[in-house]
């Protein structure tokens, strides 16, 4: 498939959050530039980068005069602007939009921010945030509880979460499952079956190789 040229530059590789951005760009066959700065390498703290993104975080994109942080906002922006370029879910009734938001909010707030990132902060990054094995343990248990709570919804999902086509919600959930697997958090088999289907997509494989080829999370 021929790639469409864009002016997009992406900052960041090597984490499940940066994976989201590389994946949607591959999914939509978009050409883009990468500045492969990595988490906790000091590269997010330079004066030059801080001027671009005062949050000192990755991922971050620049598209011409426009720039954007936050992985979910970046996914929505790229899907909105370039979605016609690929084969992602475009049929968005109000109910589908809401269901997509519901999955995205669940992935971002329950799985990513309050569990997986907490595990990262108090395990891999314990020198910065404090060594807290009890917090890590409790976050793992919370992850399992939350994953189980969404099991009926996942079981009822039509192939992908929202339709028979990949949606931004699938990118959010799949990258959280990928991240949980890095941490060896036990997952119900329905999640693993779902992950294995999604991970078969060439765009996922290409993005994975590219994103983690620079460094492992
Ligand atoms: N809510 C943000 C989180 C971004 C974030 O925390 N990124 C981490 C790496 S995954 C980061 O850049 N940390 C600072 C650093 O590593 O220098 C998003 O979803 O994009």
């Amino acid at each position: 498939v021929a790639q469409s040229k864009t002016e997009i530059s992406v900052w960041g590789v090597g984490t499940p959050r940066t994976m989201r951005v590389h994946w949607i760009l591959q999914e939509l066959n978009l050409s883009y530039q990468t500045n492969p700065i990595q988490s906790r390498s000091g590269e997010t703290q330079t004066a030059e980068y801080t001027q671009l993104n005062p949050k000192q975080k990755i991922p971050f994109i620049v598209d011409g005069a426009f720039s954007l942080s936050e992985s979910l906002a970046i996914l929505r922006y790229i899907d909105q602007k370039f979605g016609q370029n690929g084969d992602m879910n475009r049929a968005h009734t109000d109910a589908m939009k809401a269901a997509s938001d519901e999955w995205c909010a669940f992935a971002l707030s329950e799985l990513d921010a309050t569990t997986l990132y907490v595990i990262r902060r108090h395990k891999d990054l314990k020198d910065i945030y404090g060594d807290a094995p009890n917090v890590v343990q409790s976050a793992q248990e919370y992850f399992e509880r939350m994953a189980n709570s969404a099991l009926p919804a996942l079981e009822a999902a039509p192939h992908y979460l929202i339709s028979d086509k990949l949606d931004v919600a699938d990118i959010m959930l799949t990258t959280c499952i990928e991240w949980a697997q890095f941490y060896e958090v036990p997952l119900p088999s329905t999640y693993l079956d779902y992950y294995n289907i999604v991970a078969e997509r060439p765009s996922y494989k290409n993005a994975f190789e590219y994103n983690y080829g620079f460094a492992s999370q």
Side-chain angles (χ1 to χ4, degrees):
V1 186
Q3 282 201 327
S4 293
K5 239 174 126 50
T6 73
E7 285 183 68
I8 295 177
S9 286
V10 178
W11 273 259
V13 293
T15 83
R17 272 93 169 247
T18 61
M19 172 70 191
R20 293 169 186 155
V21 177
H22 293 292
W23 181 7
I24 196 167
L25 288 161
Q26 302 271 344
E27 191 63 54
L28 298 177
N29 305 304
L30 302 172
S31 76
Y32 60 100
Q33 282 199 323
T34 305
N35 301 282
I37 63 171
Q38 294 182 23
S39 168
R40 296 294 151 200
S41 60
E43 293 165 310
T44 56
Q45 321 273 321
T46 63
E48 194 192 359
Y49 188 66
T50 307
Q51 191 151 23
L52 267 177
N53 180 9
K55 290 179 177 165
Q56 301 183 314
K57 297 255 189 184
I58 50 175
F60 179 74
I61 66 162
V62 173
D63 182 18
F66 184 67
S67 62
L68 197 60
S69 66
E70 297 299 333
S71 55
L72 175 56
I74 295 171
L75 292 184
R76 286 272 186 238
Y77 172 73
I78 293 172
D79 185 41
Q80 196 93 31
K81 183 163 175 185
F82 300 102
Q84 75 284 355
N85 224 55
D87 194 29
M88 289 180 65
N89 176 34
R90 306 294 298 153
H92 274 127
T93 61
D94 286 348
M96 283 162 115
K97 246 189 255 174
S100 177
D101 278 347
E102 186 183 35
W103 273 113
C104 288
F106 174 74
L108 195 61
S109 63
E110 302 296 353
L111 304 182
D112 174 322
T114 53
T115 48
L116 294 162
Y117 200 47
V118 169
I119 296 172
R120 174 158 167 79
R121 286 159 71 102
H122 294 291
K123 207 171 170 184
D124 297 352
L125 302 179
K126 63 181 182 222
D127 292 345
I128 305 169
Y129 293 108
D131 189 6
N134 57 332
V135 172
V136 171
Q137 174 69 26
S138 134
Q140 283 181 353
E141 286 163 15
Y142 188 73
F143 185 96
E144 287 179 65
R145 188 150 71 78
M146 285 299 105
N148 275 312
S149 73
L151 204 48
L154 184 58
E155 280 165 353
H159 192 68
Y160 292 105
L161 291 176
I162 308 303
S163 71
D164 60 348
K165 300 207 175 201
L166 190 83
D167 187 274
V168 163
D170 293 290
I171 297 183
M172 291 302 297
L173 183 65
T174 302
T175 49
C176 288
I177 299 174
E178 168 191 300
W179 194 355
Q181 288 179 306
F182 291 143
Y183 287 167
E184 297 176 352
V185 177
L187 280 161
S189 63
T190 309
Y191 279 85
L192 297 176
D193 294 345
Y194 164 81
Y195 175 83
N196 289 332
I197 290 170
V198 182
E200 274 305 308
R201 294 179 80 83
S203 57
Y204 179 83
K205 289 185 186 164
N206 289 340
F208 191 98
E209 203 174 306
Y210 184 68
N211 184 58
Y212 295 112
F214 290 93
S216 64
Q217 56 81 39

